Amino acid sequence: MTSATTAAVTPAEHEALRRALVLAATEGFDLGPNPRVGCVLLDADGATIAEGLHRGAGTPHAEAAALANARDAVGPDALRGATAVVTLEPCAHTGRTGPCAQALLDAGIARVVYAQSDPNPVATGGGELLRAAGVDVVGGVLVDEALALNPVWSAAMELGRPFVTWKFAATLDGRTAAADGTSRWITSTASRADVHRLRAEVDTVLVGTGTVAADDPSLTVRDAPLRGPQPLRAVMGLRDVPTGARLATTGPDGAASLHLRTRDPRAALATLWEHDRRHVLLEGGATLAAAFWRAGLVDEVVAYVAPVLLGAGPAVVGDLGVDTITGAVRLEVVDVTVLTPDPVDGPGDPGPGETNVRLTLRPRKET
Amino acid sequence: MTSATTAAVTPAEHEALRRALVLAATEGFDLGPNPRVGCVLLDADGATIAEGLHRGAGTPHAEAAALANARDAVGPDALRGATAVVTLEPCAHTGRTGPCAQALLDAGIARVVYAQSDPNPVATGGGELLRAAGVDVVGGVLVDEALALNPVWSAAMELGRPFVTWKFAATLDGRTAAADGTSRWITSTASRADVHRLRAEVDTVLVGTGTVAADDPSLTVRDAPLRGPQPLRAVMGLRDVPTGARLATTGPDGAASLHLRTRDPRAALATLWEHDRRHVLLEGGATLAAAFWRAGLVDEVVAYVAPVLLGAGPAVVGDLGVDTITGAVRLEVVDVTVLTPDPVDGPGDPGPGETNVRLTLRPRKET
């Protein structure tokens, strides 16, 4: 559409983009529903004027942070004709902060180099906007590295709903509890600690009202470091959550709960999306898991397998509508990790040194 | 009982025992129901007179082989006052060959150093016999190394029945087939090839009449090198094996079949023991597996787990009589191996690059 001449990416810009990737990866912030982004501003000689990074929802975007740092350091005039190097396409969207593409234009930036195109349908278009205003724009540099900064966020944006990780813990024969419903403990303390680490990586934990009635779980992160607030504890289903349930009151660290009065996984995810949720850990029982699978709404599986046999008891997943082997749900194994045996017996521990196996899987792409 | 003075094991004897272990481990023989054994004969100066090893049922034992080699090489007189170094206690039993303890006495051997005590109840007592006759006897040297030569044979001898390895292949949710009974293929070609390798390591493959009726398996070793004859293909149960079944006729390489008309796992194993069987690979369905578990007759588990979900279908194992979590069958993980993805699609292959996971486990010792 535009005919701006686009110069090849210079070595200085490449180096600046690598630096922006490092800035974006800085630990210690609660990003909330936002992606990790880094930005470096270069003068006409390729020397760095200023840097910036995004520190989470409600705080300045990486470009705005870099522009502010530049104005503090060298004054606004130094930005005329400068180049902005960013890990993500500058946004064209007014959210809690203004659009970065416009801020770059206002500052007199003459050239923009970015890595990943913005997959967010409401924010995309920044590159186009800049180009239309006569800025020299190059996108798609070091895309894989940029994607690796925000794999779950990127997938969620493209899906237009939260990314769903289904976690289950089962025996070698696929049981999640004994015939009488008891399940403490099938897995080792190492596995259970790993589940807390997993919860700390998501923004939402989801179960069904059946699990609340049966187990009264607290679903909080307890044995792992939290980078932000406790994940939202969401309950899905038409039944009321009993007033005495752990999920009926605010948990430790202000852990919030939300009752989604629906049996439709898609509706539940839509509501969670409106609540700025990007990554849901599905921890419910066989019925809820089967509903998500049937709706095609599972993006990742984390399975904890304990070296235990029960011979009876609830299954991992309910009816998937699969009658014959050719209809089987086939997954791709991403990782297999042998979880270090428990060093000592804790209370209720199944025994010293129990080894569990964690499998991480993704649905197979249709070929 | 005897008061023979027992001199400490000399460096030359230690070295000879290490050499005997190497001899015993020689590949290329079909041992049948017998253990690997090596023997080295030393003169009074600790110099080697001759060596011998056992090459399988019906052939001379290692001691007899070494004595014969010595007589050929240096004549019988050189054996008077010599030392025999053996990986296993010399037998005191007349089977297809005479007792080795007596042969050593007849040859005039003055001292015997051995590693593992003979766990075979009908053959043990050789050390005692030699000691009573005035021979200097030392046992228990490098026992772990000797046990590692014949782990399954040693376990079977102590159990007084064949060692039982239960193999199953299942989905991530513990199904061995889809709801309509179809199961070709749940696992990858790499897993299926590994099952043939496993069959080649045992002397018996066991299924129930139900599996014969449902699947008509051939149970032969096809995709792995055979060191001896095809394993015996045993069928257990009261129903007749249909005359048209693959197991009703002799298979390739003369693969034999045996129908054990019992539902009692202990009786089945006793009959197999009488047929000189030491290692049974249990490949039957959930009912047969549960019967072996309930009888406490599973010594090892090899599980092939495919990254597949079915949501319904036959379970891995039937009723174990476990009602609550404290009664769970707990296993120890011996090995976890990620089986190399299939390089190419074969006919009926589930898809390119499917990764399976093999777990090897043992029942936990009661603590």
Side-chain angles (χ1 to χ4, degrees):
Chain A
M1 305 229 266
T2 59
S3 60
T5 312
T6 298
V9 177
T10 66
E13 287 165 351
H14 248 288
E15 196 183 319
L17 189 49
R18 293 216 172 270
R19 171 66 188 155
L21 289 164
V22 169
L23 288 169
T26 307
E27 289 288 346
F29 307 111
D30 169 32
L31 273 292
N34 285 10
R36 300 176 178 280
V37 185
C39 175
V40 174
L41 299 173
L42 302 178
D43 67 18
D45 298 327
T48 297
I49 303 171
E51 301 177 340
L53 68 122
H54 182 51
R55 293 162 194 255
T59 73
H61 286 189
E63 299 92 323
L67 291 173
N69 289 342
R71 289 188 184 103
D72 287 351
V74 293
D77 291 345
L79 291 168
R80 303 243 144 248
T83 295
V85 178
V86 203
T87 57
L88 182 67
E89 180 184 357
C91 72
H93 165 249
T94 303
R96 281 181 273 191
T97 63
C100 292
Q102 192 59 49
L104 294 170
L105 279 179
D106 294 345
I109 296 292
R111 178 168 156 89
V112 173
V113 175
Y114 67 83
Q116 182 184 4
S117 294
D118 195 333
N120 185 350
V122 300
T124 195
E128 203 57 38
L129 189 151
L130 289 160
R131 228 178 249 119
V135 173
D136 196 24
V137 178
V138 185
V141 186
L142 300 179
V143 171
D144 288 348
E145 288 83 346
L147 261 170
L149 281 173
N150 303 292
V152 169
W153 178 87
S154 299
M157 286 298 149
E158 292 197 352
L159 293 163
R161 60 160 176 82
F163 186 88
V164 175
T165 298
W166 173 44
K167 167 246 143 180
F168 71 84
T171 63
L172 202 54
D173 58 331
R175 310 291 179 181
T176 58
D180 68 353
T182 52
S183 63
R184 297 192 175 178
W185 296 107
I186 283 176
T187 52
S188 66
T189 51
S191 279
R192 275 135 49 209
D194 201 70
V195 170
H196 285 269
R197 180 197 58 72
L198 198 56
R199 282 183 190 160
E201 288 182 359
V202 304
D203 56 32
T204 308
V205 178
L206 178 62
V207 296
T209 49
T211 294
V212 173
D215 296 344
D216 188 21
S218 61
L219 299 179
T220 50
V221 177
R222 291 184 298 275
D223 300 330
L226 265 177
R227 273 175 302 210
Q230 286 277 350
L232 176 67
R233 304 171 303 162
V235 185
M236 177 179 159
L238 301 179
R239 275 191 279 174
D240 285 336
V241 173
T243 46
R246 290 195 177 90
L247 288 184
T249 53
T250 303
D253 308 318
S257 303
L258 179 66
H259 187 177
L260 306 161
R261 286 194 186 267
T262 176
R263 284 185 176 148
D264 174 9
R266 197 165 292 278
L269 292 181
T271 304
L272 290 170
W273 186 252
E274 287 162 19
H275 281 76
D276 276 347
R277 300 294 133 176
R278 301 291 177 257
H279 194 177
V280 170
L281 183 64
L282 186 61
E283 289 207 46
T287 308
L288 191 62
F292 272 77
W293 276 109
R294 284 198 306 269
L297 294 172
V298 179
D299 305 303
E300 185 181 50
V301 180
V302 180
Y304 298 87
V305 179
V308 174
L309 295 170
L310 282 166
V316 161
V317 65
D319 183 11
L320 298 175
V322 175
D323 300 319
T324 191
I325 191 68
T326 50
V329 175
R330 302 227 168 237
L331 307 165
E332 191 182 332
V333 178
V334 175
D335 178 71
V336 178
T337 296
V338 178
L339 293 170
T340 316
D342 304 339
V344 287
D345 257 1
D349 230 14
E354 183 175 287
T355 297
N356 285 187
V357 180
R358 184 189 66 208
L359 293 97
T360 307
L361 313 99
R362 295 273 172 96
R364 287 198 139 191
K365 303 271 189 301
E366 300 299 328
T367 46
Chain B
M1 305 229 265
T2 58
S3 60
T5 312
T6 298
V9 177
T10 67
E13 288 165 352
H14 248 288
E15 197 184 319
L17 189 49
R18 294 215 172 271
R19 171 65 187 154
L21 288 164
V22 169
L23 289 169
T26 308
E27 289 289 344
F29 306 111
D30 169 32
L31 273 292
N34 286 9
R36 300 175 178 280
V37 186
C39 176
V40 174
L41 299 173
L42 301 178
D43 67 18
D45 298 327
T48 298
I49 302 171
E51 301 176 340
L53 67 122
H54 182 52
R55 293 162 194 256
T59 73
H61 287 188
E63 300 92 322
L67 291 172
N69 289 342
R71 288 189 185 101
D72 288 351
V74 293
D77 292 344
L79 290 168
R80 301 244 144 246
T83 295
V85 178
V86 202
T87 57
L88 181 68
E89 180 184 357
C91 72
H93 164 251
T94 304
R96 280 180 273 191
T97 62
C100 292
Q102 192 59 49
L104 294 170
L105 279 179
D106 294 347
I109 295 293
R111 178 168 156 90
V112 173
V113 176
Y114 67 82
Q116 183 184 4
S117 296
D118 195 335
N120 185 350
V122 301
T124 196
E128 201 57 39
L129 188 151
L130 288 159
R131 227 177 249 119
V135 174
D136 196 24
V137 177
V138 184
V141 186
L142 300 179
V143 171
D144 289 348
E145 288 83 346
L147 260 169
L149 281 173
N150 304 293
V152 169
W153 178 86
S154 299
M157 286 298 149
E158 292 197 353
L159 293 163
R161 59 161 177 82
F163 186 88
V164 175
T165 297
W166 173 44
K167 166 247 143 181
F168 71 83
T171 64
L172 202 54
D173 59 331
R175 309 290 179 181
T176 58
D180 68 351
T182 52
S183 63
R184 296 191 177 180
W185 297 107
I186 283 176
T187 52
S188 66
T189 50
S191 279
R192 275 134 49 209
D194 200 69
V195 170
H196 285 269
R197 180 199 56 75
L198 197 57
R199 282 182 190 159
E201 288 182 1
V202 304
D203 55 33
T204 308
V205 178
L206 178 62
V207 295
T209 48
T211 293
V212 173
D215 297 343
D216 188 22
S218 62
L219 300 180
T220 50
V221 177
R222 291 185 298 275
D223 301 330
L226 266 177
R227 273 175 302 209
Q230 287 276 349
L232 177 67
R233 304 171 305 162
V235 185
M236 176 179 159
L238 301 179
R239 275 191 278 175
D240 285 337
V241 172
T243 45
R246 291 196 176 89
L247 288 184
T249 52
T250 302
D253 308 319
S257 304
L258 179 67
H259 186 177
L260 306 162
R261 287 195 185 266
T262 176
R263 284 183 176 152
D264 174 10
R266 198 165 292 277
L269 291 181
T271 303
L272 290 170
W273 187 251
E274 286 162 18
H275 281 75
D276 276 347
R277 301 293 134 176
R278 301 291 177 257
H279 194 177
V280 170
L281 183 64
L282 186 61
E283 290 207 46
T287 308
L288 190 63
F292 272 77
W293 276 107
R294 285 199 306 269
L297 294 172
V298 179
D299 305 304
E300 187 182 50
V301 179
V302 180
Y304 298 88
V305 179
V308 173
L309 295 169
L310 282 166
V316 161
V317 65
D319 183 12
L320 298 174
V322 174
D323 301 319
T324 191
I325 191 68
T326 50
V329 175
R330 301 227 168 239
L331 306 166
E332 192 182 331
V333 178
V334 176
D335 178 71
V336 178
T337 295
V338 178
L339 294 170
T340 316
D342 303 339
V344 287
D345 257 3
D349 230 13
E354 184 175 284
T355 297
N356 285 188
V357 180
R358 184 189 66 208
L359 293 96
T360 307
L361 312 99
R362 296 272 171 96
R364 287 198 139 191
K365 301 272 189 300
E366 300 298 327
T367 46

